[in-house]
Amino acid sequence: MNILVTGATGFIGSHLVPRLLDDGHNVSVLCRDIDKAESLFNDGVHYIKGDITKPETLKIIPENAECIIHLAAEGHVSATSQEAYDKFIETNEKGTLNLIDIAKQLQSLKMFIHFSSTAAMGVINKPVLNEQSVPNPLTPYQKSKFRSEQIVNAAYHEQNFPSVILRPCMVYGPGGLGEFHKFCCLMKKGRFPKIGLGKNLTPIVHVNDVIEATVLTMQKAMIGETYIIASDCSYPLDEVRTHVIEALGIKAPYPYVPAPIALLGAKLIETGYNLMGKEPIVTYRNISSTIRDRTFDISRAKKDLGYSQSISLKQGINSTIEWFKQQGHI
C-alpha cells in the first residue's frame, strides 16, 4: 500500500516505519524536521516537510495515499500549565482536524488510523474497561485526546470517512523515554514508594505489540471502530518494580506511603510547582491513577484483528532496561 505516517520520528513511529518498509509498503512520512527523520530511516522513505498545525503545509501530501497512520501528537501526560493545554489543543485537536480536512480530498484513501490513547477515557470507576465504557477525561491531556477522537468519529458518522481509532495504554520498550522511563528512574533512586494497600494494577503494553496491532488494523479492522490495545492483563505495580530492579541489577529501598498522605503530598507539590511556573514532578491525578486498579478488556481487538500479546512483561522490561543502559538514560 501507499502509506503516509505522521509523527514518524516519535517512539512508536520509529518502530512502525521500518516494519512497514519490511512488509513491502511504500512509505511517506510527514515531518517537521527532515534531517531527524533521515537519521532514523533508510532511503526507502519519502520525506515530506509539513506540520499538522499548519494546514498550508499539508497540501503536498501524496494524492495516492491509501492509508494514513496518524501518530503525531503532543504527549506530556502530566502537564498542567495553560501553555501545555494550548499545545494539546493546537496539536491533538486542531492538528487532527487539519489532517482530516486534507485526507477527505484523497480519492485513493481506504483507511485513516488515528492513534489515541486509553488516557482519552480518563478516570472511570470500574475495575475493567472496554470500548463501551463512557469516557470521563479530566486532565488537559486526557481531554485533548478524547476530543481528537470526537473529531475523527464525527468525520466517520457525518461523511463516511474511513477511520479507525486505536487506544494503546502506556507503551514501553527500547526507544521510549516517556512515563515508563520516568518510573524506572524513580525506582532506581528508591523514590517510587508503594502507595496504599492495593495491588495498583497497571496496564502496560510493549511497543512491538503495538506495531503488530497496527499492521493487523490495516488488514482486518472494521471501519468506524475503536480498539483498545493493551497486554492480556494488568500487572501489580509490585511485579513491575521487581522486574525493573532485577534488570537494573541493584537493590533499592521500597518505602510505603499511605494513600491519603501520598495524595496530600502530591497536591502540595503540584501547587508549589504551578506557583513557580514549572511542570510538577508528580500530580494529584498521577497518584490517584496509580492507586486505582485498572484493567482493559481487549477482546474486541482479539476478535476483529486477531491481536494478542507476544512480549512478556519480564522479557519486555529486560530489553527496555538494557536499551536505557546502553544509551545512558538510566
Side-chain angles (χ1 to χ4, degrees), residues 61-121:
I61 66 174
E63 295 183 358
N64 65 345
E66 297 168 274
C67 178
I68 295 177
I69 303 176
H70 179 36
L71 284 161
E74 188 70 32
H76 299 297
V77 178
S78 300
T80 58
S81 68
Q82 185 59 49
E83 180 183 5
Y85 203 176
D86 291 341
K87 286 183 179 179
F88 290 146
I89 294 173
E90 186 70 17
T91 303
N92 299 348
E93 299 177 40
K94 294 180 181 178
T96 297
L97 182 60
N98 292 338
L99 186 61
I100 288 177
D101 284 343
I102 294 294
K104 287 176 183 176
Q105 303 173 28
L106 302 178
Q107 299 297 319
S108 57
L109 189 66
K110 299 175 182 177
M111 184 177 290
F112 181 97
I113 301 175
H114 175 65
F115 262 79
S116 182
S117 165
T118 53
M121 303 173 73

Side-chain angles (χ1 to χ4, degrees), residues 51-329:
D51 186 334
I52 61 171
T53 67
K54 299 176 181 178
E56 67 276 9
T57 70
L58 303 180
K59 296 178 182 179
I60 58 174
I61 66 174
E63 295 183 358
N64 65 345
E66 297 168 274
C67 178
I68 295 177
I69 303 176
H70 179 36
L71 284 161
E74 188 70 32
H76 299 297
V77 178
S78 300
T80 58
S81 68
Q82 185 59 49
E83 180 183 5
Y85 203 176
D86 291 341
K87 286 183 179 179
F88 290 146
I89 294 173
E90 186 70 17
T91 303
N92 299 348
E93 299 177 40
K94 294 180 181 178
T96 297
L97 182 60
N98 292 338
L99 186 61
I100 288 177
D101 284 343
I102 294 294
K104 287 176 183 176
Q105 303 173 28
L106 302 178
Q107 299 297 319
S108 57
L109 189 66
K110 299 175 182 177
M111 184 177 290
F112 181 97
I113 301 175
H114 175 65
F115 262 79
S116 182
S117 165
T118 53
M121 303 173 73
V123 179
I124 305 173
N125 293 318
K126 292 174 61 178
V128 180
L129 308 178
N130 60 24
E131 292 85 356
Q132 280 73 49
S133 301
V134 179
N136 180 35
L138 299 174
T139 69
Y141 175 70
Q142 291 172 351
K143 290 178 180 178
S144 71
K145 295 303 287 186
F146 178 59
R147 287 171 182 158
S148 74
E149 289 189 5
Q150 291 179 307
I151 290 168
V152 174
N153 281 326
Y156 166 70
H157 289 293
E158 296 170 10
Q159 297 168 298
N160 203 30
F161 186 66
S163 60
V164 177
I165 295 173
L166 295 185
R167 283 180 184 164
C169 64
M170 183 196 301
V171 183
Y172 78 107
L177 293 174
E179 291 298 294
F180 182 74
H181 175 250
K182 184 190 299 184
F183 290 170
C184 292
C185 291
L186 291 172
M187 290 173 183
K188 180 181 179 182
K189 296 175 182 177
R191 298 177 183 174
F192 197 97
K194 177 174 175 57
I195 300 174
L197 298 175
K199 292 183 177 180
N200 307 146
L201 294 178
T202 303
I204 184 171
V205 63
H206 194 274
V207 65
N208 287 8
D209 286 327
V210 175
I211 299 309
E212 189 62 31
T214 308
V215 172
L216 291 169
T217 297
M218 293 167 52
Q219 299 168 351
K220 302 179 179 181
M222 301 284 290
I223 296 298
E225 285 288 2
T226 296
Y227 297 98
I228 291 174
I229 306 299
S231 48
D232 289 332
C233 66
S234 289
Y235 303 99
L237 204 50
D238 285 358
E239 182 180 350
V240 175
R241 181 188 180 278
T242 296
H243 289 314
V244 169
I245 296 303
E246 287 179 352
L248 288 170
I250 63 171
K251 291 183 178 181
Y254 193 30
Y256 165 75
V257 179
I261 294 178
L263 289 167
L264 175 60
K267 189 65 176 178
L268 293 174
I269 290 172
E270 183 177 354
T271 301
Y273 271 72
N274 285 340
L275 288 174
M276 293 186 292
K278 298 180 179 180
E279 295 297 341
I281 57 174
V282 66
T283 68
Y284 181 90
R285 296 204 185 280
N286 287 154
I287 300 301
S288 179
S289 177
T290 298
I291 63 177
R292 189 185 305 273
D293 289 343
R294 293 166 296 148
T295 299
F296 292 107
D297 177 1
I298 58 173
S299 57
R300 177 181 289 181
K302 286 185 173 183
K303 176 178 177 293
D304 287 4
L305 308 180
Y307 166 76
S308 63
Q309 177 185 353
S310 64
I311 307 295
S312 71
L313 181 66
K314 183 177 179 62
Q315 174 189 1
I317 287 179
N318 285 346
S319 64
T320 303
I321 295 294
E322 183 60 30
W323 184 85
F324 288 161
K325 288 179 178 179
Q326 291 175 353
Q327 300 299 317
H329 294 306

